[in-house]
Amino acid sequence: MELSSAEAVSTRFLGLTQRSVSEDLGCRRGEFSRKHYGSVELLISSDADGAIQRAGRFRVENGSSDENAGYAPGTWHRTDVHLENPEYYTRWYFKYFLGKVHQNYIGTDSEKNPFFLSVVLSDQNNQRVPQYHSILWRKTGTQKICLPYSPTKTLSVKSILSAMSLEKFEKGPREIFHPDIQKDLLVLEEQEGSVNFKFGVLYAKDGQLTDDEMFSNETGSESFQRFLQLLGDTITLKGWTGYRGGLDTKNDTTGTFSIYTIYQGHEIMFHVSTMLPYSRENKQQVERKRHIGNDIVTIVFQEGEETAPAFKPSMIRSHFTHIFALVRYNKQNDSYRLKIFSEESVPLFGPPLPSPPVFTNHQEFRDFVLVKLINGEKATLETPTFSQKRQRTLDMLIRSLYQDLMPDLHKNMLNRRSFSDVLPESPKSTRKKEEARQAEFVRLGQALKLKTGVKGDAPANLSTASFCKKEPWESQSFCSNFPHEVVCADSWGQSLLVSTDAGILLIDDGQTTVQVFDKTLQIKQMHVLEALDYLIARTDKGKDSRLLVFRLSSVQKDIETKQVVRSKYDCRENKLERTKGCHLYAINTHHGSELRIVVAIRNKLLLITKKYNPCNSLTGSCLSLSESPVEEFQYIREICLSDPPVVMTLVDGPTGDSDNMICVAYRHQFDLVNESTGESYRLHHIEANKVNFVAAIDVYEDGEAGLLLCYNYVCQYRKVYPFNGGSPLIQPSAYDFHFSWNQVPYAVVCAFPYILAFTTDSIEIRLVVNGNLVHTAVVPELQLVASRLDIYFKAAAAVSGSSHSGSKEMSSRSSPQTPTAYDIPECSVSSSEGEVTCKSLYKIPLSNLVGRSVERPLKSPLTPKVVTTPTSSGITSLPVTHSLSLSRMEIKEIANRTRKELLGLLDEPIPKTEGAQKQKKIPRRQSDPKQGAVRSTSSDRIISASFESYSEGRHLSTSSDPDSVANREESSPFSFPFHLTSLYDEDIIDLK
């Protein structure tokens, strides 16, 4: 039976609204993984005699071209191409520790295995967010966590190790005083993988199906040459001083030329088959196979039509290559088609191939291929073949370093204070001696840092890359200078319904704030269900807590007619029965045919559902059962638990009959509760002294339920099969994974393909499919406000108390990361500190994160407004003020001298002051004796400039030069009210 147009529209709105968009996309994880990251296939090839040469299992990733599929994935734009686990976020010791005063400890665990601990107190990007960064070095790998700084409570080494789940020791940690320990720890960190990469490029003519034929091609076609020019620049190997990727740069034994490029701070050398030495006598071309066969990643450029016999990894006899990227060029439409083969043990890595995997924009194709290959090699290092070798090497290095330090255990080199406090300053009794040691410590660390940067082994800083392209997590200013404390909130159309200390407010960007309820009604939790015309809220605490249900249409009518603001006493008719004393509730948000509510009252769960509401098929309108919304709900059953739940999530079964589940978290475990029988089953037990439950996010894989369990630093995916014979089947999944956050989050939001962790001062952004980190942003005094649809958060922005800060001239020449007087309202300035914190509301549109537009079923309840395109003058963001004190200038000159010693440039005049450098614009990099005439893209040039400025002892990202800032503003195609600034500390610190 066909639906009327009104019914169709109503049904569409119902589906869009009842199912949270972020959760709906999250539930497609399994189907998305299979379509876009490929399925594992057994690939077999045979020789001319029919004998099998090699049988291997590879994951084949070729995008999805099925236009009739039931699930249409989002359109993946350029912004979804991210480096995963980028070194400028993961190389903590180089970034936060090296060249700064920090503490290093040595000890042995209960199994007599040695370990090292490094701790530093740093202010991330000068954002007034001091934190302890800690690295634990063990034979199984490194563990990194961020701990908050409290001026009233010092942090002990024991508490740090306890947070890292290391509580029993054979020998307690002792501090290492000698500055040379920095060299050894830097070597340990380099075991995480190389900063630079070498990739093979193999040319295959049409019809060539064996590696001997492919490696025997002396030259490539015209299209192959254009492809090489797209990848990088042709450089002369003899005399080459950059990253050489194992090629001979002295005697031309590995060829005369090669292809080289720099991409986002990474040097890449390509081993091109037609440029490596060719031998007519050697049919196997051993010299070429020696390089390309030992590359983890190889690009195969295959000539011929799409209908020709396709390349298979089994054609290449190599046990080292784990990833093949098959590239075909189409002359008719000047496009490239990409296909990825990954050995089955390689974890999933992005970016996912578009659908179809055809690129007509050559620059986007280059960016996609390079990011895909870099991510692929990093993922390969996590396979058992490589990870076991890395662990053995790391174990050997740690034990060797421990043995070297053993004779000094009874000397003064090691601190005799076990479990001493991690002090930001040295003890007063040894001030002068400690200052001298710290100065030497910093000098050696800075020399190591500069030397590593000169060699090209340093991770690049990409904080300037945000000026080049719009990232999907960039936020928009929603409400400036919001003075109220936020308790909870939810989206209502394009508006935000917020529970504050002043009552319930309705806020819209640019509109007057509307008071909906007065402050006598204290709402602690709420859901706005527009299609169902409900506002569900939980009020107060303790015995007076209740669950309230309102009609949105009634609330909206009161707003439009400007009726008297409702109070707590006007809501007595809106209380749901049996909910007195509730401390938590949860609703189902997708895949449910009916609205279900689970209310927690101490250790009891009440299951409440919405009564069936018949619709008139002729008019398309639904019949209201009663005037009161409360009467439309019915009590189903009561379920008793052993303890009060802290986290609750409703999990919909595939049939919705008797297989619906409730995930609850309490004590040290997550349990699954059968809604029909009330029986509970252990899902996951947590082995930790203290458990901080964060969330249980329901996702779906192949139509079956799965859960992201978030607690402490951990996020773990568990697939849950339906109840079978009274109990659920909890089994490992093909796409199962777990990872650790760098900080303990208080909230986690799944906005597929991203998962975001919110802490008190940062947002950590990872990918749902593999948990890999893509971005970390510093946001002082951060509070997540709402996330069911768009993501809203509250954050601080400082307004300087300087007398010059209000002048238009200074505002126009200020840093892009500094709010102008026009953008942020005036605030009263504290006389003691010189600046005051103004908190504002910001918004991250979900449509930006998911890569497609999200329709809104209902308009904002407030008056519609004209939307204007923001201009560059409307930039507001977190301020980043950088000023060098006299002591910093002195240290900087020491660093400059050290750099010149390393480079042999002592005869060059040293710039007098930082101000003298500020009078000059940074010249555009034309050539480099290290790189030759190397072409790079706009993003590459920014990173090259960043490296250049780094070698000069300063960073573009930390520059306050008005001219260079103005140039960056003009070159930036996007401007945002709130920049999620990447984490990066200055390389020069003040010893004070």
Side-chain angles (χ1 to χ4, degrees):
M1 181 179 64
E2 295 185 359
L3 294 175
S4 66
S5 59
E7 273 190 297
V9 173
S10 176
T11 304
R12 179 170 63 91
F13 283 167
L14 177 63
L16 284 172
T17 309
Q18 187 174 356
R19 298 186 298 174
S20 166
V21 179
S22 61
E23 294 177 352
D24 182 50
L25 290 172
C27 77
R28 300 293 186 179
R29 173 179 176 269
E31 189 172 355
F32 182 91
S33 300
R34 187 177 63 257
K35 286 188 176 182
H36 291 267
Y37 289 86
S39 58
V40 177
E41 301 177 13
L42 180 65
L43 302 178
I44 303 174
S45 66
S46 58
D47 55 19
D49 299 330
I52 295 178
Q53 291 183 348
R54 177 191 177 194
R57 291 178 58 85
F58 276 77
R59 188 171 63 250
V60 183
E61 185 180 349
N62 57 4
S64 175
S65 57
D66 185 5
E67 301 295 337
N68 298 321
Y71 167 62
T75 303
W76 296 96
H77 300 291
R78 173 67 180 83
T79 53
D80 295 302
V81 181
H82 306 297
L83 287 178
E84 299 175 11
N85 295 324
E87 285 74 13
Y88 43 89
Y89 291 148
T90 57
R91 294 292 180 91
W92 276 23
Y93 193 76
F94 179 88
K95 176 179 176 179
Y96 296 113
F97 293 75
L98 202 58
K100 299 180 177 71
V101 176
H102 63 276
Q103 293 178 284
N104 301 292
Y105 295 83
I106 185 174
T108 54
D109 59 21
S110 58
E111 298 178 357
K112 298 185 178 181
N113 294 314
F115 66 85
F116 292 88
L117 176 70
S118 299
V119 186
V120 67
L121 178 63
S122 61
D123 182 1
Q124 301 188 57
N125 221 22
N126 289 341
Q127 296 278 353
R128 311 186 314 279
V129 185
Q131 289 180 323
Y132 289 108
H133 286 79
S134 305
I135 307 176
L136 179 63
W137 318 82
R138 307 179 72 178
K139 69 174 186 177
T140 54
T142 59
Q143 185 178 352
K144 306 166 189 174
I145 62 172
C146 235
L147 296 169
Y149 166 75
S150 173
T152 59
K153 183 180 179 182
T154 54
L155 194 65
S156 68
V157 177
K158 187 174 183 179
S159 62
I160 295 175
L161 293 173
S162 177
M164 294 177 164
S165 301
L166 182 61
E167 300 177 351
K168 297 181 180 179
F169 313 100
E170 197 268 337
K171 287 186 178 180
R174 293 187 177 183
E175 186 178 355
I176 306 172
F177 277 168
H178 203 287
D180 284 341
I181 188 63
Q182 297 175 96
K183 299 179 182 178
D184 302 305
L185 296 180
L186 186 61
V187 172
L188 294 184
E189 183 171 72
E190 289 173 352
Q191 304 309 309
E192 295 181 10
S194 175
V195 175
N196 304 316
F197 299 87
K198 54 186 183 73
F199 300 136
V201 181
L202 181 60
Y203 174 68
K205 293 181 180 179
D206 188 11
Q208 291 183 338
L209 301 177
T210 65
D211 56 354
D212 288 346
E213 294 175 330
M214 300 175 192
F215 280 106
S216 296
N217 294 321
E218 293 187 57
T219 59
S221 64
E222 181 181 350
S223 59
F224 179 63
Q225 295 302 325
R226 284 200 301 269
F227 174 67
L228 293 180
Q229 293 173 8
L230 182 64
L231 288 180
D233 300 277
T234 303
I235 55 103
T236 302
L237 286 175
K238 194 168 186 178
W240 178 253
T241 57
Y243 174 68
R244 60 189 185 91
L247 299 179
D248 182 13
T249 57
K250 295 182 179 179
N251 303 313
D252 289 340
T253 60
T254 57
T256 308
F257 304 99
S258 189
I259 302 297
Y260 167 91
T261 192
I262 297 178
Y263 187 80
Q264 295 195 13
H266 298 284
E267 294 184 78
I268 303 174
M269 181 66 77
F270 295 93
H271 295 157
V272 184
S273 61
T274 56
M275 290 183 170
L276 292 169
Y278 172 76
S279 174
R280 295 184 181 276
E281 292 76 19
N282 189 342
K283 293 183 179 180
Q284 293 187 350
Q285 303 300 328
V286 176
E287 185 63 26
R288 292 181 171 181
K289 291 182 179 180
R290 184 170 67 88
H291 289 283
I292 298 178
N294 287 319
D295 290 332
I296 295 177
V297 178
T298 295
I299 302 173
V300 179
F301 186 91
Q302 189 172 41
E303 299 280 9
E305 302 295 331
E306 293 293 331
T307 56
F311 167 84
K312 292 182 180 180
S314 50
M315 297 175 182
I316 307 298
R317 288 169 289 185
S318 170
H319 296 286
F320 198 81
T321 305
H322 282 61
I323 297 172
F324 294 92
L326 179 63
V327 176
R328 287 182 181 269
Y329 176 70
N330 189 331
K331 293 182 180 179
Q332 295 180 353
N333 57 6
D334 191 26
S335 66
Y336 289 95
R337 177 178 286 268
L338 183 63
K339 190 175 185 179
I340 303 294
F341 298 89
S342 306
E343 205 273 334
E344 65 173 335
S345 63
V346 178
L348 297 179
F349 61 93
L353 286 179
S355 175
V358 176
F359 299 82
T360 55
N361 186 312
H362 292 186
Q363 186 57 51
E364 287 191 2
F365 174 65
R366 176 182 187 268
D367 292 344
F368 190 97
V369 168
L370 294 181
V371 171
K372 187 72 173 177
L373 300 188
I374 291 174
N375 291 341
E377 180 160 324
K378 290 180 182 179
T380 303
L381 296 178
E382 302 301 323
T383 60
T385 302
F386 291 95
S387 62
Q388 292 173 5
K389 293 179 180 179
R390 291 166 58 202
Q391 284 190 9
R392 286 196 297 267
T393 303
L394 186 62
D395 184 24
M396 179 189 67
L397 290 174
I398 290 177
R399 291 185 181 278
S400 176
L401 180 57
Y402 180 78
Q403 292 297 326
D404 292 341
L405 292 173
M406 278 294 292
D408 298 314
L409 286 176
H410 302 289
K411 296 183 180 179
N412 292 330
M413 180 191 292
L414 295 176
N415 194 353
R416 298 180 182 275
R417 296 173 298 156
S418 287
F419 301 122
S420 62
D421 289 335
V422 179
L423 301 176
E425 295 183 358
S426 58
K428 294 181 180 180
S429 59
T430 58
R431 173 70 66 184
K432 291 184 178 180
K433 183 178 180 181
E434 181 66 14
E435 284 182 349
R437 186 191 72 84
Q438 288 185 2
E440 176 63 16
F441 199 91
V442 170
R443 189 199 67 80
L444 179 61
Q446 289 183 352
L448 283 171
K449 197 164 193 174
L450 290 167
K451 185 177 181 180
T452 306
V454 169
K455 290 193 306 180
D457 295 332
N461 169 31
L462 283 192
S463 59
T464 55
S466 60
F467 296 107
C468 301
K469 65 176 183 177
K470 179 182 177 182
E471 296 289 3
W473 44 77
E474 294 290 356
S475 60
Q476 305 169 358
S477 178
F478 185 73
C479 180
S480 299
N481 192 21
F482 190 70
H484 306 291
E485 293 295 328
V486 177
V487 181
C488 63
D490 199 7
S491 301
W492 185 356
Q494 296 294 333
S495 302
L496 187 67
L497 190 64
V498 187
S499 173
T500 71
D501 53 349
I504 315 303
L505 309 177
L506 188 61
I507 306 171
D508 201 348
D509 188 14
Q511 301 294 311
T512 304
T513 299
V514 177
Q515 182 102 24
V516 181
F517 298 94
D518 64 19
K519 62 181 180 181
T520 61
L521 186 66
Q522 295 293 321
I523 292 181
K524 305 297 183 182
Q525 191 179 356
M526 71 167 71
H527 280 86
V528 176
L529 306 178
E530 295 175 76
L532 300 179
D533 197 27
Y534 289 142
L535 167 61
I536 302 175
R538 178 174 60 84
T539 65
D540 296 335
K541 281 186 177 180
K543 296 180 180 180
D544 294 330
S545 298
R546 289 278 191 170
L547 209 63
L548 306 180
V549 181
F550 302 91
R551 288 202 191 280
L552 279 181
S553 55
S554 177
V555 176
Q556 184 172 352
K557 183 178 179 181
D558 290 345
I559 295 173
E560 293 172 350
T561 58
K562 299 182 180 179
Q563 296 289 334
V564 178
V565 178
R566 296 192 190 187
S567 68
K568 174 182 178 181
Y569 306 102
D570 299 324
C571 305
R572 286 172 291 185
E573 301 298 326
N574 299 93
K575 297 179 180 179
L576 278 180
E577 295 182 5
R578 298 174 176 263
T579 62
K580 184 177 181 180
C582 62
H583 69 275
L584 186 67
Y585 81 90
I587 68 172
N588 62 321
T589 52
H590 53 257
H591 289 286
S593 58
E594 61 177 356
L595 176 63
R596 309 196 321 277
I597 306 175
V598 172
V599 183
I601 306 174
R602 293 181 294 276
N603 64 332
K604 293 190 301 182
L605 300 183
L606 299 183
L607 180 60
I608 300 172
T609 63
K610 181 181 179 297
K611 295 178 182 179
Y612 176 70
N613 192 0
C615 290
N616 189 328
S617 61
L618 298 178
T619 63
S621 61
C622 293
L623 302 176
S624 177
L625 294 179
S626 63
E627 292 294 331
S628 173
V630 173
E631 297 180 8
E632 297 181 8
F633 290 85
Q634 58 185 351
Y635 164 78
I636 302 298
R637 65 179 57 87
E638 180 180 294
I639 300 172
C640 289
L641 303 176
S642 57
D643 287 276
V646 180
V647 171
M648 290 195 309
T649 299
L650 275 67
V651 182
D652 295 330
T655 65
D657 184 13
S658 59
D659 52 3
N660 291 329
M661 296 168 280
I662 308 170
C663 179
V664 294
Y666 46 74
R667 290 190 299 185
H668 285 71
Q669 66 199 52
F670 288 91
D671 282 0
L672 277 179
V673 179
N674 189 330
E675 281 189 12
S676 300
T677 64
E679 297 180 82
S680 61
Y681 306 91
R682 180 71 55 83
L683 177 62
H684 180 63
H685 184 76
I686 303 168
E687 299 292 341
N689 290 338
K690 295 181 180 179
V691 182
N692 176 38
F693 291 108
V694 180
I697 303 173
D698 51 333
V699 294
Y700 286 78
E701 184 174 323
D702 301 330
E704 294 174 335
L707 286 164
L708 289 174
L709 306 179
C710 306
Y711 58 92
N712 293 359
Y713 289 90
V714 180
C715 181
Q716 184 177 69
Y717 175 74
R718 298 295 299 272
K719 187 169 183 179
V720 181
Y721 293 86
F723 282 86
N724 183 14
S727 63
L729 299 176
I730 305 171
Q731 299 179 358
S733 165
Y735 295 106
D736 193 12
F737 73 96
H738 74 277
F739 61 88
S740 297
W741 303 103
N742 291 329
Q743 284 183 263
V744 176
Y746 65 81
V748 174
V749 177
C750 180
F752 199 86
Y754 305 103
I755 182 169
L756 297 81
F758 288 80
T759 72
T760 55
D761 45 44
S762 69
I763 303 177
E764 194 171 326
I765 305 169
R766 295 176 179 264
L767 298 177
V768 176
V769 293
N770 51 22
N772 286 342
L773 176 69
V774 293
H775 188 79
T776 306
V778 178
V779 187
E781 301 181 55
L782 171 68
Q783 179 188 1
L784 178 64
V785 173
S787 61
R788 189 176 57 87
L789 294 176
D790 294 328
I791 298 174
Y792 295 87
F793 61 90
K794 187 179 179 183
V799 178
S800 175
S802 172
S803 59
H804 301 288
S805 62
S807 66
K808 293 182 180 180
E809 181 180 359
M810 292 298 292
S811 296
S812 63
R813 295 170 61 86
S814 62
S815 165
Q817 295 176 331
T818 305
T820 62
Y822 174 81
D823 299 317
I824 292 206
E826 293 287 341
C827 298
S828 59
V829 180
S830 171
S831 58
S832 59
E833 298 183 0
E835 66 176 22
V836 72
T837 298
C838 297
K839 294 186 179 180
S840 303
L841 293 177
Y842 299 92
K843 169 184 174 182
I844 303 177
L846 186 67
S847 58
N848 293 348
L849 289 170
V850 303
R852 66 177 179 180
S853 61
V854 180
E855 297 183 56
R856 299 296 184 187
L858 295 177
K859 294 182 180 179
S860 169
L862 297 179
T863 305
K865 61 181 180 296
V866 178
V867 179
T868 58
T869 304
T871 61
S872 59
S873 63
I875 298 177
T876 59
S877 61
L878 288 179
V880 183
T881 56
H882 300 282
S883 60
L884 294 176
S885 62
L886 180 62
S887 59
R888 291 186 118 158
M889 286 298 303
E890 293 172 346
I891 297 177
K892 183 174 182 178
E893 289 183 7
I894 295 174
N896 284 337
R897 294 193 200 101
T898 306
R899 180 187 65 83
K900 293 181 183 300
E901 290 176 4
L902 293 171
L903 298 177
L905 302 176
L906 286 177
D907 295 333
E908 284 191 6
I910 299 176
K912 294 181 180 180
T913 61
E914 180 74 4
Q917 295 182 8
K918 289 183 179 181
Q919 301 301 322
K920 303 178 183 179
K921 291 185 179 181
I922 299 176
R924 193 173 184 177
R925 190 173 189 177
Q926 299 294 339
S927 61
D928 191 313
K930 174 183 173 182
Q931 300 175 7
V934 176
R935 175 205 49 78
S936 60
T937 63
S938 59
S939 60
D940 299 337
R941 284 195 296 271
I942 287 179
I943 303 310
S944 299
S946 178
F947 262 107
E948 184 178 17
S949 61
Y950 172 78
S951 64
E952 294 297 329
R954 61 197 291 261
H955 285 279
L956 287 176
S957 61
T958 57
S959 172
S960 57
D961 181 2
D963 294 331
S964 61
V965 168
N967 290 338
R968 292 202 301 270
E969 284 183 318
E970 292 174 1
S971 62
S972 174
F974 301 99
S975 60
F976 311 103
F978 190 99
H979 287 284
L980 298 185
T981 312
S982 60
L983 302 175
Y984 202 89
D985 287 341
E986 290 186 355
D987 294 320
I988 311 300
I989 69 163
D990 192 346
L991 287 179
K992 294 182 180 180

